[in-house]
Amino acid sequence: MPTIFIDNKPYNVQPGQNVLHAAVSHGLNLPYFCWHPALGSAGACRQCAVQHFKDESDTQGRMVMSCMTAATEGSRFSINHPTAKSFRADIIEWMMTNHPHDCPVCDEGGECHLQDMTVMTGHNKRRYRFKKRTFENQDLGPHINHEMNRCITCYRCVRYYRDVAGGEDLHAFSASNKVYFGRFEDGPLDSEFSGNLVEVCPTGVFTDKTFRAYYSRKWDLQTAPSICQNCSLGCNISPGERLGTLRRVQNRFHPEINGYFLCDKGRFGHRFVNEKNQVKVVHPIGPLIKEGLMIGIGSPRASLEANYALRKLVGADNFYDGHTELEHRLLSKIMEILSQHPETASLEDVRNADAVFILGEDLTQTAPMLALSIRQNLYKRAQDGAGTQGIPDWNDLAIRNAQPELPKVVYLAHDIPTKLDPLVTHKISTDLESIQDWIPALKAAKNPVIIAGTSLGSEPLIRMSIELRKMAPQAKLCYVLPAANSFGLMLLKPKSTPLLTHRGETAIVLENNLPLSTLSHLHNIIAIDFLESETTKNATLALGCGSFAETTGSMVNNEGRAQRYYSVFERREQRPESWRILRDLGDFSWQNIDELCAEFAQEFPIFEPFLKQVHNTQFRIDGQKIARQSPEFSGRTSMYTNISLHEQAPLQDPDSPLAYSMEGYHGDMPPDLASSYWRPGWNSVSAFNSLSHATSGVKLKP
C-alpha cells in the first residue's frame, strides 16, 4: 500500500488512487467538483489544485490538479500551500460570477456541494458587477426539475447519463462561452436511471421534482436506513419523512449491491406510502379466532417477521405463500438449485464479471439496477482496456479517447427487443437453439455470471441456467425473483396457494391481493394490508397495517442476502406492524422484534447468523440510541400545535436502536444503522466519499 505525504503528514492510500480520492478518503478538506468515485476525473473544474513537491527540500513545488495526479509511493503534496489556496479561491470566484445567489429558495440549499466548497475556499464576497449569463430551463418530465442558471459546468451530468446510464437524450450544447446541459427539446428523460442526476449534480441544476411538492430542508427530515421494496434486488435506500408524509428517497451506499446509484423505480416509487386509500386501523384487535380451521396466506412483499408470525399462528401445514402456482413452481426449482450451488452473484459481482449470460429477462423492466450494473461492467472494462496503455482507471477523458467503443461481453436470450440489445454480443431466442454458440465464451470466462428469472414463467430457462453452470463451475448464478422478499418467504417452506384445498372457516391473507377465485370457498377472510385492494374490499374483516416506511423488519434479496430495514416514522394513529396484528390474533407474548426473532431463529436456524449480526433493540453508542433527526431539526414545538400547544414527547421505538428524536447519537456508526452522510463542512451526499463503508447483511444458503 503506497504512502504519500500531504502537508508533511504520511497517509497510506489504496493502489491506483489519485491524490484527490486519497485525500478525501482520509477526511481532508480538499475542494472538488468534476470528480466522482463512480465517474473518475475529467479535470474540468480546476478546483482541486494542490502543490506538488519533488522532495523534502522543495518548498515551492508546482501546482497540479489532484484529481489528475496519481498517488504514487513517496510523493509529496500540500493542500494548504498559499499558492494552491489562492488559486482555488480564484476558481470558485470565477464559477460564482454567473451563479445566482438563490440558496434560500434553491431545493439543494443545505445539502449543496457547491455551498460546501464555497465556504471551504473562503469565498464570501461578490465583486462581479456585470450582467449574469442566463438560460431557459426545460421540462424534463415528472421526476427531474431543471434550473440551468445554477450550472458550474462540471460535466458530471452528461458523463454519468451517457457513459454509465447509457442515456442518449441528454447532451452538452455549447456556443461561445455558454454550455447548456439538456435535451434537444422539452420532454421526459428516457433513462430508467435519470433520478441519479439529482445526487450526481453538485449544485441545484437537477433536483427532485417529486420532493418539491411538499418541500422540506434536509435537516428537517427524519430518516432511517431502509430497503427498496420495488424488486428483488434489495437496494439500500434512505427515506426522509416530515409531518407524517414520506417526502423523498435517496440512495444509501452499499458496496456489494446498489453502490452509488438507484433506479427511478426505487427513487420515485415510494409515493404509495402517502396514498389516501389506506386500510382503516382496527384497534384493539384482540383474539378473533377461537375455533375452526385457519389457513394463512403469506406474502413475498411482507417482512420475514410477519410471515413467520402468520406461520406460527396457523401452523406449518396451513401456511401458503401467496405467489401464483407458476411462480411457486419456478421459485421451488430455483431454491433447489441454490441449495446445491449457493454461489449467487451480487450486483458487484455483475459489475466485475468478464462475461454475462442473460436467459429470458428484460432487466430494465424486471430488475433495473441489474441492467445498470451491466452498463457499469462495460464502463469498467473500458477502464481496464485503457489500463493496458498505461492510463489509470480514474482518468475518464483519456479512457474515452483511448477506447471510445465499449467492449461487449453480454449474451442475451430473449424474443423481444430490450434496452440492453445495443450492448449484446450475441442474441438468440428463448427456444435456445443457438445456445451452443455461447459455450466457448462461457468456458473461457474466468468469472462469468448467469442471469435467469421468473418473469417469462419458463422453467426450461431456469433449467438451462444450471446446465450452463455445470459447464462452467467458476460461474455464479443470479436469479431475478417476483418480489422483494420472495427468497425469504420460500425459506419458510410454504405451500403453493393455488393448491389450497381447505374449506375451513377462516383464511388470513397477509399483504397480498389475490384473485377472488382463490378464496371463494372460504367463509371468513381476514385481510391485513396497508392499501385497499380487491382482497381487502371483499374481506370479512380488513385490518390496516403500516407500510415499509412505518415498520421495522427483515427481507432476503435475490442473492440470498438477509437485511434489516427500519421504520422511518410512526404516524400518530399508530399503524401497527403486521406481525403485531398477528401476535394479537394469536395471543402471542412477543413484546418486540427481538423476542419474535429469538423464537424465529430457534425454529429456522438458517437465519441465526443474520439475526446475531443485526443490532438488537438494546444496542447503544455512548449510552444513546441513534437519532433519526438531525441536531438542526426544527419546528418540533409547533408541528403539532393543532393537537396541543405543548410539545409532545417523541414516540418510543421498541423495535430498534434508533430514536424518533434529535436527541441521541450523531457520530460514526455501523453502516447498516447510518441513514445519511455528514461530516463537518460536508453537508451533501459527497460526504460519503470520506466515510468507511462495510458490507451489511448476511448471505444465507438454502
Side-chain angles (χ1 to χ4, degrees), residues 175-191:
S176 184
N177 69 334
K178 293 186 177 183
V179 182
Y180 187 91
F181 298 94
R183 305 179 83 250
F184 283 113
E185 57 185 5
D186 287 15
L189 291 165
D190 290 341
S191 174

mmCIF file of all heavy atoms in Angstrom, residues 175-191:
data_model
loop_
_atom_site.group_PDB
_atom_site.id
_atom_site.type_symbol
_atom_site.label_atom_id
_atom_site.label_comp_id
_atom_site.label_asym_id
_atom_site.label_seq_id
_atom_site.Cartn_x
_atom_site.Cartn_y
_atom_site.Cartn_z
ATOM 1 N N ALA A 175 -21.859 27.107 -27.201
ATOM 2 C CA ALA A 175 -21.668 28.179 -28.174
ATOM 3 C C ALA A 175 -20.978 29.327 -27.450
ATOM 4 O O ALA A 175 -21.437 29.770 -26.393
ATOM 5 C CB ALA A 175 -22.995 28.640 -28.756
ATOM 6 N N SER A 176 -19.847 29.766 -28.023
ATOM 7 C CA SER A 176 -19.085 30.843 -27.392
ATOM 8 C C SER A 176 -18.713 30.426 -25.966
ATOM 9 O O SER A 176 -18.155 29.357 -25.755
ATOM 10 C CB SER A 176 -19.880 32.151 -27.415
ATOM 11 O OG SER A 176 -19.106 33.200 -26.892
ATOM 12 N N ASN A 177 -19.070 31.252 -24.975
ATOM 13 C CA ASN A 177 -18.722 30.911 -23.590
ATOM 14 C C ASN A 177 -19.890 30.300 -22.838
ATOM 15 O O ASN A 177 -19.903 30.285 -21.619
ATOM 16 C CB ASN A 177 -18.235 32.162 -22.848
ATOM 17 C CG ASN A 177 -19.359 33.159 -22.621
ATOM 18 O OD1 ASN A 177 -20.332 33.184 -23.386
ATOM 19 N ND2 ASN A 177 -19.228 33.974 -21.581
ATOM 20 N N LYS A 178 -20.875 29.790 -23.563
ATOM 21 C CA LYS A 178 -22.042 29.190 -22.926
ATOM 22 C C LYS A 178 -22.067 27.685 -23.183
ATOM 23 O O LYS A 178 -21.867 27.233 -24.304
ATOM 24 C CB LYS A 178 -23.334 29.824 -23.455
ATOM 25 C CG LYS A 178 -23.512 31.287 -23.071
ATOM 26 C CD LYS A 178 -24.878 31.796 -23.516
ATOM 27 C CE LYS A 178 -25.095 33.239 -23.078
ATOM 28 N NZ LYS A 178 -26.444 33.721 -23.456
ATOM 29 N N VAL A 179 -22.327 26.940 -22.126
ATOM 30 C CA VAL A 179 -22.523 25.489 -22.229
ATOM 31 C C VAL A 179 -23.860 25.174 -21.579
ATOM 32 O O VAL A 179 -24.138 25.616 -20.456
ATOM 33 C CB VAL A 179 -21.392 24.709 -21.536
ATOM 34 C CG1 VAL A 179 -21.609 23.206 -21.706
ATOM 35 C CG2 VAL A 179 -20.037 25.116 -22.089
ATOM 36 N N TYR A 180 -24.676 24.422 -22.301
ATOM 37 C CA TYR A 180 -26.035 24.115 -21.842
ATOM 38 C C TYR A 180 -26.195 22.603 -21.758
ATOM 39 O O TYR A 180 -25.940 21.882 -22.723
ATOM 40 C CB TYR A 180 -27.056 24.688 -22.832
ATOM 41 C CG TYR A 180 -28.498 24.592 -22.393
ATOM 42 C CD1 TYR A 180 -29.083 25.624 -21.670
ATOM 43 C CD2 TYR A 180 -29.269 23.472 -22.702
ATOM 44 C CE1 TYR A 180 -30.417 25.553 -21.275
ATOM 45 C CE2 TYR A 180 -30.593 23.390 -22.307
ATOM 46 C CZ TYR A 180 -31.160 24.434 -21.597
ATOM 47 O OH TYR A 180 -32.475 24.357 -21.199
ATOM 48 N N PHE A 181 -26.604 22.107 -20.596
ATOM 49 C CA PHE A 181 -26.817 20.681 -20.397
ATOM 50 C C PHE A 181 -28.320 20.402 -20.394
ATOM 51 O O PHE A 181 -29.032 20.837 -19.483
ATOM 52 C CB PHE A 181 -26.184 20.225 -19.079
ATOM 53 C CG PHE A 181 -24.692 20.425 -19.044
ATOM 54 C CD1 PHE A 181 -24.143 21.573 -18.490
ATOM 55 C CD2 PHE A 181 -23.853 19.470 -19.589
ATOM 56 C CE1 PHE A 181 -22.770 21.763 -18.462
ATOM 57 C CE2 PHE A 181 -22.477 19.652 -19.572
ATOM 58 C CZ PHE A 181 -21.929 20.803 -19.008
ATOM 59 N N GLY A 182 -28.787 19.718 -21.424
ATOM 60 C CA GLY A 182 -30.212 19.450 -21.523
ATOM 61 C C GLY A 182 -30.520 18.570 -22.721
ATOM 62 O O GLY A 182 -29.635 17.916 -23.282
ATOM 63 N N ARG A 183 -31.788 18.570 -23.131
ATOM 64 C CA ARG A 183 -32.250 17.782 -24.265
ATOM 65 C C ARG A 183 -32.402 18.674 -25.499
ATOM 66 O O ARG A 183 -32.376 19.899 -25.377
ATOM 67 C CB ARG A 183 -33.596 17.118 -23.944
ATOM 68 C CG ARG A 183 -33.595 16.271 -22.697
ATOM 69 C CD ARG A 183 -34.962 15.659 -22.427
ATOM 70 N NE ARG A 183 -35.183 14.438 -23.196
ATOM 71 C CZ ARG A 183 -36.027 14.331 -24.203
ATOM 72 N NH1 ARG A 183 -36.745 15.382 -24.588
ATOM 73 N NH2 ARG A 183 -36.173 13.187 -24.850
ATOM 74 N N PHE A 184 -32.583 18.059 -26.652
ATOM 75 C CA PHE A 184 -32.838 18.845 -27.855
ATOM 76 C C PHE A 184 -34.128 19.644 -27.709
ATOM 77 O O PHE A 184 -34.257 20.745 -28.231
ATOM 78 C CB PHE A 184 -32.933 17.923 -29.081
ATOM 79 C CG PHE A 184 -31.597 17.438 -29.570
ATOM 80 C CD1 PHE A 184 -31.251 16.103 -29.470
ATOM 81 C CD2 PHE A 184 -30.682 18.319 -30.115
ATOM 82 C CE1 PHE A 184 -30.020 15.651 -29.918
ATOM 83 C CE2 PHE A 184 -29.446 17.882 -30.566
ATOM 84 C CZ PHE A 184 -29.115 16.535 -30.463
ATOM 85 N N GLU A 185 -35.077 19.081 -26.988
ATOM 86 C CA GLU A 185 -36.336 19.759 -26.741
ATOM 87 C C GLU A 185 -36.909 19.255 -25.418
ATOM 88 O O GLU A 185 -36.477 18.236 -24.879
ATOM 89 C CB GLU A 185 -37.327 19.484 -27.877
ATOM 90 C CG GLU A 185 -37.603 18.015 -28.113
ATOM 91 C CD GLU A 185 -38.485 17.774 -29.326
ATOM 92 O OE1 GLU A 185 -38.801 18.754 -30.022
ATOM 93 O OE2 GLU A 185 -38.859 16.608 -29.566
ATOM 94 N N ASP A 186 -37.884 19.987 -24.900
ATOM 95 C CA ASP A 186 -38.521 19.570 -23.652
ATOM 96 C C ASP A 186 -39.057 18.149 -23.764
ATOM 97 O O ASP A 186 -39.486 17.719 -24.832
ATOM 98 C CB ASP A 186 -39.687 20.498 -23.310
ATOM 99 C CG ASP A 186 -39.219 21.865 -22.832
ATOM 100 O OD1 ASP A 186 -38.036 22.177 -23.033
ATOM 101 O OD2 ASP A 186 -40.031 22.601 -22.258
ATOM 102 N N GLY A 187 -39.065 17.439 -22.649
ATOM 103 C CA GLY A 187 -39.622 16.089 -22.629
ATOM 104 C C GLY A 187 -38.977 15.262 -21.541
ATOM 105 O O GLY A 187 -37.872 15.557 -21.091
ATOM 106 N N PRO A 188 -39.677 14.213 -21.096
ATOM 107 C CA PRO A 188 -39.131 13.360 -20.029
ATOM 108 C C PRO A 188 -37.833 12.695 -20.455
ATOM 109 O O PRO A 188 -37.674 12.291 -21.614
ATOM 110 C CB PRO A 188 -40.235 12.317 -19.805
ATOM 111 C CG PRO A 188 -41.475 12.917 -20.393
ATOM 112 C CD PRO A 188 -41.013 13.787 -21.522
ATOM 113 N N LEU A 189 -36.906 12.593 -19.540
ATOM 114 C CA LEU A 189 -35.668 11.882 -19.811
ATOM 115 C C LEU A 189 -35.961 10.403 -20.030
ATOM 116 O O LEU A 189 -36.777 9.798 -19.340
ATOM 117 C CB LEU A 189 -34.697 12.069 -18.643
ATOM 118 C CG LEU A 189 -34.147 13.496 -18.493
ATOM 119 C CD1 LEU A 189 -33.504 13.688 -17.124
ATOM 120 C CD2 LEU A 189 -33.135 13.796 -19.596
ATOM 121 N N ASP A 190 -35.278 9.809 -21.002
ATOM 122 C CA ASP A 190 -35.579 8.443 -21.414
ATOM 123 C C ASP A 190 -35.053 7.381 -20.445
ATOM 124 O O ASP A 190 -35.619 6.302 -20.344
ATOM 125 C CB ASP A 190 -34.984 8.163 -22.793
ATOM 126 C CG ASP A 190 -35.704 8.910 -23.900
ATOM 127 O OD1 ASP A 190 -36.851 9.346 -23.668
ATOM 128 O OD2 ASP A 190 -35.120 9.061 -24.988
ATOM 129 N N SER A 191 -33.965 7.666 -19.768
ATOM 130 C CA SER A 191 -33.289 6.630 -18.988
ATOM 131 C C SER A 191 -34.065 6.254 -17.734
ATOM 132 O O SER A 191 -34.638 7.111 -17.053
ATOM 133 C CB SER A 191 -31.884 7.098 -18.592
ATOM 134 O OG SER A 191 -31.275 6.173 -17.721
#
